[in-house]
mmCIF file of all heavy atoms in Angstrom:
data_model
loop_
_atom_site.group_PDB
_atom_site.id
_atom_site.type_symbol
_atom_site.label_atom_id
_atom_site.label_comp_id
_atom_site.label_asym_id
_atom_site.label_seq_id
_atom_site.Cartn_x
_atom_site.Cartn_y
_atom_site.Cartn_z
ATOM 1 N N SER E 218 110.470 23.576 -128.626
ATOM 2 C CA SER E 218 110.192 22.503 -129.564
ATOM 3 C C SER E 218 110.395 23.059 -130.991
ATOM 4 O O SER E 218 110.512 24.209 -131.251
ATOM 5 C CB SER E 218 108.742 22.052 -129.399
ATOM 6 O OG SER E 218 107.843 23.153 -129.687
ATOM 7 N N LYS E 219 110.436 22.089 -131.914
ATOM 8 C CA LYS E 219 110.670 22.452 -133.317
ATOM 9 C C LYS E 219 111.852 23.237 -133.560
ATOM 10 O O LYS E 219 111.910 24.182 -134.413
ATOM 11 C CB LYS E 219 109.399 23.109 -133.873
ATOM 12 C CG LYS E 219 108.169 22.289 -133.793
ATOM 13 C CD LYS E 219 106.996 22.996 -134.397
ATOM 14 C CE LYS E 219 105.681 22.191 -134.270
ATOM 15 N NZ LYS E 219 104.489 22.839 -134.850
ATOM 16 N N ASP E 220 112.999 22.897 -132.889
ATOM 17 C CA ASP E 220 114.281 23.544 -133.105
ATOM 18 C C ASP E 220 114.237 25.018 -132.859
ATOM 19 O O ASP E 220 114.905 25.850 -133.516
ATOM 20 C CB ASP E 220 114.770 23.260 -134.565
ATOM 21 C CG ASP E 220 115.249 21.808 -134.747
ATOM 22 O OD1 ASP E 220 115.725 21.236 -133.702
ATOM 23 O OD2 ASP E 220 115.283 21.371 -135.853
ATOM 24 N N PHE E 221 113.483 25.444 -131.846
ATOM 25 C CA PHE E 221 113.383 26.859 -131.535
ATOM 26 C C PHE E 221 114.721 27.484 -131.206
ATOM 27 O O PHE E 221 115.427 27.090 -130.309
ATOM 28 C CB PHE E 221 112.418 27.114 -130.342
ATOM 29 C CG PHE E 221 112.178 28.531 -130.002
ATOM 30 C CD1 PHE E 221 111.014 29.230 -130.540
ATOM 31 C CD2 PHE E 221 113.111 29.254 -129.232
ATOM 32 C CE1 PHE E 221 110.830 30.519 -130.156
ATOM 33 C CE2 PHE E 221 112.852 30.589 -128.929
ATOM 34 C CZ PHE E 221 111.700 31.237 -129.442
ATOM 35 N N ALA E 222 115.201 28.403 -132.113
ATOM 36 C CA ALA E 222 116.476 29.061 -131.926
ATOM 37 C C ALA E 222 117.654 28.020 -131.856
ATOM 38 O O ALA E 222 118.698 28.402 -131.362
ATOM 39 C CB ALA E 222 116.481 29.952 -130.831
ATOM 40 N N TYR E 223 117.362 26.747 -132.093
ATOM 41 C CA TYR E 223 118.352 25.721 -132.086
ATOM 42 C C TYR E 223 119.004 25.569 -130.677
ATOM 43 O O TYR E 223 120.182 25.140 -130.536
ATOM 44 C CB TYR E 223 119.455 25.913 -133.130
ATOM 45 C CG TYR E 223 118.851 25.923 -134.544
ATOM 46 C CD1 TYR E 223 118.390 27.092 -135.118
ATOM 47 C CD2 TYR E 223 118.689 24.725 -135.204
ATOM 48 C CE1 TYR E 223 117.776 27.034 -136.358
ATOM 49 C CE2 TYR E 223 118.155 24.652 -136.500
ATOM 50 C CZ TYR E 223 117.727 25.758 -137.082
ATOM 51 O OH TYR E 223 117.075 25.713 -138.337
ATOM 52 N N VAL E 224 118.239 25.941 -129.622
ATOM 53 C CA VAL E 224 118.685 25.909 -128.252
ATOM 54 C C VAL E 224 119.126 24.507 -127.877
ATOM 55 O O VAL E 224 120.188 24.299 -127.373
ATOM 56 C CB VAL E 224 117.686 26.555 -127.371
ATOM 57 C CG1 VAL E 224 118.078 26.279 -125.835
ATOM 58 C CG2 VAL E 224 117.538 28.023 -127.543
ATOM 59 N N ILE E 225 118.159 23.571 -128.047
ATOM 60 C CA ILE E 225 118.445 22.245 -127.639
ATOM 61 C C ILE E 225 119.650 21.575 -128.364
ATOM 62 O O ILE E 225 120.501 20.896 -127.748
ATOM 63 C CB ILE E 225 117.212 21.283 -127.713
ATOM 64 C CG1 ILE E 225 116.202 21.790 -126.632
ATOM 65 C CG2 ILE E 225 117.547 19.885 -127.494
ATOM 66 C CD1 ILE E 225 114.933 21.076 -126.638
ATOM 67 N N LYS E 226 119.747 21.876 -129.595
ATOM 68 C CA LYS E 226 120.871 21.316 -130.406
ATOM 69 C C LYS E 226 122.226 21.939 -129.946
ATOM 70 O O LYS E 226 123.271 21.233 -129.976
ATOM 71 C CB LYS E 226 120.662 21.498 -131.896
ATOM 72 C CG LYS E 226 119.597 20.549 -132.479
ATOM 73 C CD LYS E 226 119.453 20.755 -133.978
ATOM 74 C CE LYS E 226 118.457 19.802 -134.595
ATOM 75 N NZ LYS E 226 118.280 19.981 -136.085
ATOM 76 N N ASP E 227 122.239 23.180 -129.753
ATOM 77 C CA ASP E 227 123.479 23.861 -129.364
ATOM 78 C C ASP E 227 123.851 23.844 -127.976
ATOM 79 O O ASP E 227 125.030 24.076 -127.570
ATOM 80 C CB ASP E 227 123.330 25.362 -129.858
ATOM 81 C CG ASP E 227 123.354 25.516 -131.363
ATOM 82 O OD1 ASP E 227 123.726 24.603 -132.015
ATOM 83 O OD2 ASP E 227 122.864 26.556 -131.843
ATOM 84 N N ALA E 228 122.930 23.533 -127.067
ATOM 85 C CA ALA E 228 123.132 23.653 -125.654
ATOM 86 C C ALA E 228 124.228 22.740 -125.083
ATOM 87 O O ALA E 228 125.067 23.245 -124.295
ATOM 88 C CB ALA E 228 121.832 23.443 -124.869
ATOM 89 N N PRO E 229 124.280 21.483 -125.382
ATOM 90 C CA PRO E 229 125.333 20.586 -124.804
ATOM 91 C C PRO E 229 126.675 21.141 -124.965
ATOM 92 O O PRO E 229 127.485 21.302 -123.923
ATOM 93 C CB PRO E 229 125.150 19.240 -125.553
ATOM 94 C CG PRO E 229 123.702 19.280 -125.977
ATOM 95 C CD PRO E 229 123.404 20.703 -126.355
ATOM 96 N N LYS E 230 127.109 21.493 -126.202
ATOM 97 C CA LYS E 230 128.453 21.879 -126.350
ATOM 98 C C LYS E 230 128.753 23.309 -125.793
ATOM 99 O O LYS E 230 129.726 23.507 -125.149
ATOM 100 C CB LYS E 230 128.792 21.920 -127.923
ATOM 101 C CG LYS E 230 130.163 22.335 -128.280
ATOM 102 C CD LYS E 230 130.405 22.333 -129.820
ATOM 103 C CE LYS E 230 131.778 22.751 -130.119
ATOM 104 N NZ LYS E 230 131.993 22.669 -131.625
ATOM 105 N N LYS E 231 127.754 24.172 -125.930
ATOM 106 C CA LYS E 231 128.002 25.535 -125.527
ATOM 107 C C LYS E 231 127.877 25.673 -123.934
ATOM 108 O O LYS E 231 128.598 26.513 -123.326
ATOM 109 C CB LYS E 231 127.004 26.525 -126.178
ATOM 110 C CG LYS E 231 127.307 26.613 -127.713
ATOM 111 C CD LYS E 231 126.504 27.612 -128.440
ATOM 112 C CE LYS E 231 126.899 27.713 -129.933
ATOM 113 N NZ LYS E 231 126.164 28.768 -130.649
#
Side-chain angles (χ1 to χ4, degrees):
S218 61
K219 299 182 180 179
D220 287 336
F221 184 96
Y223 298 90
V224 169
I225 288 179
K226 287 184 177 179
D227 290 341
K230 181 178 180 180
K231 293 187 176 182

